[in-house]
Amino acid sequence: MKRLGTSVVCAVACASLLGACGATPEEMGAEESADKKPKLSEPTTDTTATEIANPQTVTAQSLLGDIGSTLGSPAVTYPSISTASNQWSVSCNGGSSRDIAYVWRAPATGSYSFGTSGSDFDTVLQIRNYKATSEIMGCNDDAGSGYQSRVTLSGLVRGTTLLIIIEGYAGEYGNLARLNITQN
């Protein structure tokens, strides 16, 4: 019995140490103000990964960074989606392409538009509730007559945290993924 108690204590200690290795996605950028440039992680180099993420989990492999409450055209750019893996299954495209994701928080209550205009490939854009990633709030493939995507969400409450996923359509990817976020 004494040996079992020691094993449990060792397991708890190891788990605590492993948890101290870095911030959780909720903690990423919590101290950042809206006027600071977001910190983005390096892209993954695993181009063979095909595993789809659990919809309740945001993994470091699929998450590029917490961009705070950044607004702009672009709010953020990513140099090459060709180095990303396929982590998310987006509802308006089947989810068979490489994708990247960002965490974003509404700076004020209101309506916001999210788009990929300026990206150099055919994009699909999906927005999920970050606290419950299985909740899809909007998805778009080809807004208007172009190959770029756009989602508008009305009535977002200040502080609402979103997971924004950009994916290539049907296996496409390019050298520039651009995310534009504007308040309407």
Side-chain angles (χ1 to χ4, degrees):
M1 188 68 164
K2 186 176 184 178
R3 184 169 283 215
L4 177 61
T6 303
S7 296
V8 170
V9 169
C10 288
V12 169
C14 288
S16 295
L17 289 173
L18 289 173
C21 291
T24 63
E26 290 88 357
E27 296 167 339
M28 290 174 56
E31 306 83 43
E32 291 186 43
S33 63
D35 58 344
K36 283 189 174 181
K37 288 290 182 188
K39 293 179 183 178
L40 304 179
S41 63
E42 290 297 315
T44 179
T45 56
D46 180 6
T47 58
T48 61
T50 58
E51 183 180 337
I52 304 299
N54 176 335
Q56 296 301 321
T57 307
V58 180
T59 64
Q61 188 176 24
S62 65
L63 182 64
L64 291 181
D66 183 327
I67 59 173
S69 298
T70 304
L71 297 174
S73 292
V76 66
T77 59
Y78 187 71
S80 180
I81 201 167
S82 66
T83 60
S85 61
N86 181 25
Q87 294 293 306
W88 296 97
S89 180
V90 298
S91 62
C92 55
N93 181 37
S96 63
S97 298
R98 299 166 194 255
D99 50 60
I100 57 175
Y102 298 99
V103 175
W104 181 83
R105 276 176 294 292
T109 299
S111 177
Y112 293 87
S113 291
F114 306 84
T116 60
S117 177
S119 297
D120 69 352
F121 63 102
D122 189 352
T123 62
V124 179
L125 179 66
Q126 184 173 72
I127 301 180
R128 296 177 181 218
N129 178 339
Y130 181 72
K131 303 278 185 198
T133 58
S134 60
E135 180 187 339
I136 298 168
M137 300 175 75
C139 193
N140 179 259
D141 173 29
D142 299 343
S145 61
Y147 293 114
Q148 306 306 295
S149 306
R150 184 177 180 93
V151 172
T152 299
L153 299 177
S154 299
L156 284 180
V157 176
R158 179 178 185 251
T160 298
T161 306
L162 305 176
L163 179 69
I164 303 169
I165 303 164
I166 301 172
E167 179 169 284
Y169 174 78
E172 287 193 34
Y173 57 87
N175 293 319
L176 181 67
R178 183 175 168 162
L179 174 61
N180 307 300
I181 306 173
T182 57
Q183 187 171 11
N184 302 333

